[in-house]
């Protein structure tokens, strides 16, 4: 994973807007600075960042940080989300499995669309770093 991407944006989220909406707009702003990015890259990135932020809110105890950037070689969009839970993301195995448990379907989407994913514990929670192709 890239230690420090360029075009890095750290987004602050206010109580006035849903954090996933702010995250999607942040992705759009960063991608505007990437020549040759595709519409598919934009929609995939919006979906992934929405999943990551929503999961941080629903399962992760709250969103701590959202950072968006471009990889040093310019081939990928770098997303980083931190939350306050050390619990690792889980995917449901089947649709009918444990219907009382919410969620579990977005993580496989993240894993499928990303070219790399890193989940690591940090003091007070976890950080998820994802790189998505921009073309």
């Amino acid at each position: 994973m890239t230690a420090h991407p360029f075009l890095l944006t750290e987004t602050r989220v206010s109580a006035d807007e849903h954090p996933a909406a702010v995250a999607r707009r942040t992705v759009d702003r960063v991608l505007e600075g990437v020549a040759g990015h595709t519409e598919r890259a934009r929609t995939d990135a919006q979906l992934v960042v929405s999943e990551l932020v929503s999961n941080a809110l629903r399962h992760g105890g709250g969103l701590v940080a959202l950072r968006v950037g471009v990889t040093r070689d310019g081939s990928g969009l770098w997303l980083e989300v931190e939350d306050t839970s050390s619990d690792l993301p889980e995917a449901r195995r089947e649709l009918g499995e444990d219907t009382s448990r919410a969620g579990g379907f977005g993580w496989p989407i993240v894993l499928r669309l990303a070219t790399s994913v890193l989940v690591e514990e940090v003091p007070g929670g976890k950080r998820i770093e994802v790189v998505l192709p921009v073309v």
Side-chain angles (χ1 to χ4, degrees):
M1 194 75 49
T2 60
H4 298 285
F6 69 93
L7 294 178
L8 180 65
T9 301
E10 184 163 1
T11 299
R12 303 277 181 229
V13 179
S14 73
D16 298 336
E17 291 185 89
H18 193 282
V22 174
R24 288 188 298 272
R25 275 200 313 281
T26 302
V27 163
D28 281 347
R29 266 197 335 268
V30 171
L31 282 175
E32 285 172 6
V34 178
H37 74 274
T38 65
E39 186 59 29
R40 178 174 179 169
R42 178 183 302 277
T43 57
D44 286 354
Q46 288 177 338
L47 175 60
V48 168
V49 80
S50 291
E51 286 294 332
L52 293 174
V53 167
S54 295
N55 286 346
L57 297 170
R58 178 181 284 157
H59 308 291
L63 181 66
V64 173
L66 167 65
R67 297 176 191 93
V68 180
V70 178
T71 58
R72 290 188 185 277
D73 67 3
S75 68
L77 181 72
W78 178 86
L79 305 173
E80 181 179 86
V81 173
E82 288 186 36
D83 65 37
T84 62
S85 172
S86 60
D87 294 342
L88 300 179
E90 285 184 46
R92 284 197 187 187
R93 295 191 200 302
E94 298 176 13
L95 183 59
E97 182 182 313
D98 191 5
T99 56
S100 65
R101 193 181 105 216
F105 301 108
W107 186 241
I109 293 170
V110 171
L111 296 175
R112 180 172 177 124
L113 295 176
T115 57
S116 66
V117 176
L118 174 67
V119 181
E120 60 183 346
E121 286 188 44
V122 296
K126 72 177 162 299
R127 175 185 307 125
I128 299 175
E129 294 182 28
V130 174
V131 175
L132 300 161
V134 294
V135 292

